[in-house]
Amino acid sequence: MTEQPESPREGVWTHPYHLTSGQTQQHQIGHVRLWITLLDQEWQIREERLVVTGNGADPLEWQATLGHTLPSAEIPVQRFIRAADNGVVQFYPAMASLPTVIRPFQPLTIPAGGRCLLYVGTALWMKICVGKGKTELTEIPLATPSMTWLGRNTMEGELCYASSTYGRLALEAVPKRPWRAVTPVTIINRGEQALLLDRFSLPTPLLSLYQNERGQLWTPGVTVECETDMNSASLHMERSVPESAGLCHLVSPARQTMAKGRRLVRAFDRMFG
């Protein structure tokens, strides 16, 4: 009798999944379908990018299934030599390795002396780790990243990822997905003129990830202050997530740390393009 795979279950970040030799665990999360196979001397990872339809539909759930079935041979395989891992694999979320350009749902004008609070949802990367030491095999983006340039010209600025979602003024309007994280961004206009906000750069490599009791992922808040001369912006990183996130615990540290405190001054054109 042919063994039937288990029914799909909800995938969980940081949970230790135990596999035996010959088993394959399939995950479907975000825009990715993933197969993790355990053999006697190696791990195998296969990845397939899902076609995103043009109707704006976003995958809502993370499904995980355990069985012995491999996908089509046309899907490329990555192979990793095993150490003393006891057949344990875990998945950790990570923020993007480059700054991410965010746009409000529609351009916003912040009057002189005014401020606004945007809630930003950004797509995550998945780190695949094995064993008690959580050895990282690889990491994959859970949405296909697109690149953009943010700066006053082609010589001054920086290469960034472009977010596929919008910053929202209402938290309830931000889609809650297991493969996205929410960041509250406060923008303060201390200038003497109104500030038109049509896009800005979120320093995603500097943000750590926290998970609340509902399984949602959050980062600490970011505050951007536009100075009176409008030539520079000061960026401040909060030390913890906001109260609106609920009770949270740290699941992934930031990729990078700020060398001098938690305040960063950046050129205005690099922050807002």
Side-chain angles (χ1 to χ4, degrees):
M1 179 181 296
T2 302
E3 180 183 353
Q4 296 297 319
E6 68 176 18
S7 299
R9 301 181 180 180
E10 184 179 2
V12 181
W13 291 114
T14 74
H15 175 74
Y17 291 99
H18 295 262
L19 278 67
T20 60
S21 183
Q23 284 188 319
T24 294
Q25 189 178 53
Q26 178 181 324
H27 294 265
Q28 185 163 321
I29 175 174
H31 300 161
V32 172
R33 188 177 289 120
L34 187 69
W35 293 264
I36 311 293
T37 301
L38 178 67
L39 299 177
D40 288 345
Q41 299 184 40
E42 64 182 279
W43 289 94
Q44 295 184 351
I45 298 177
R46 294 169 173 85
E47 171 193 347
E48 180 183 30
R49 292 275 140 188
L50 303 178
V51 177
V52 181
T53 60
N55 59 7
D58 230 3
L60 301 179
E61 300 177 345
W62 175 0
Q63 293 186 340
T65 307
L66 185 64
H68 290 81
T69 303
L70 293 175
S72 166
E74 297 179 355
I75 297 178
V77 58
Q78 298 181 68
R79 303 172 63 198
F80 303 88
I81 294 298
R82 290 185 60 189
D85 52 51
N86 296 322
V88 175
V89 59
Q90 293 174 271
F91 305 95
Y92 287 85
M95 295 294 283
S97 57
L98 295 176
T100 302
V101 173
I102 307 295
R103 296 180 183 272
F105 184 67
Q106 293 178 336
L108 291 169
T109 298
I110 306 175
R115 67 169 63 200
C116 76
L117 172 61
L118 286 176
Y119 292 97
V120 174
T122 54
L124 300 171
W125 268 241
M126 172 187 275
K127 293 188 175 185
I128 304 174
C129 303
V130 296
K132 186 176 180 180
K134 302 173 185 176
T135 301
E136 182 179 329
L137 299 184
T138 188
E139 67 173 349
I140 59 172
L142 298 178
T144 303
S146 59
M147 309 299 292
T148 188
W149 181 261
L150 190 67
R152 66 173 64 181
N153 53 47
T154 57
M155 300 298 293
E156 299 181 32
E158 62 184 343
L159 190 64
C160 303
Y161 290 121
S163 175
S164 58
T165 61
Y166 297 103
R168 307 277 185 167
L169 290 172
L171 177 58
E172 296 76 15
V174 180
K176 307 302 189 298
R177 306 288 186 263
W179 51 282
R180 291 187 180 276
V182 177
T183 302
V185 180
T186 301
I187 300 176
I188 304 173
N189 181 12
R190 300 198 182 280
E192 297 179 354
Q193 299 180 357
L195 169 67
L196 177 63
L197 178 64
D198 61 353
R199 64 175 184 167
F200 64 95
S201 174
L202 183 68
T204 38
L206 297 175
L207 296 174
S208 52
L209 278 166
Y210 292 77
Q211 189 174 42
N212 65 17
E213 294 175 312
R214 298 183 297 277
Q216 298 167 350
L217 295 170
W218 284 73
T219 77
V222 174
T223 299
V224 180
E225 295 186 43
C226 304
E227 304 299 335
T228 53
D229 58 8
M230 301 293 284
N231 291 323
S232 65
S234 174
L235 185 146
H236 175 75
M237 313 284 292
E238 301 296 335
R239 294 186 177 275
S240 60
V241 296
E243 290 185 3
S244 55
L247 184 62
C248 293
H249 65 278
L250 179 68
V251 291
S252 294
R255 291 181 183 267
Q256 302 174 13
T257 57
M258 297 178 65
K260 297 180 180 180
R262 306 187 70 82
R263 184 172 292 272
L264 178 67
V265 177
R266 310 177 70 188
F268 183 83
D269 61 288
R270 290 182 61 192
M271 181 71 71
F272 293 96

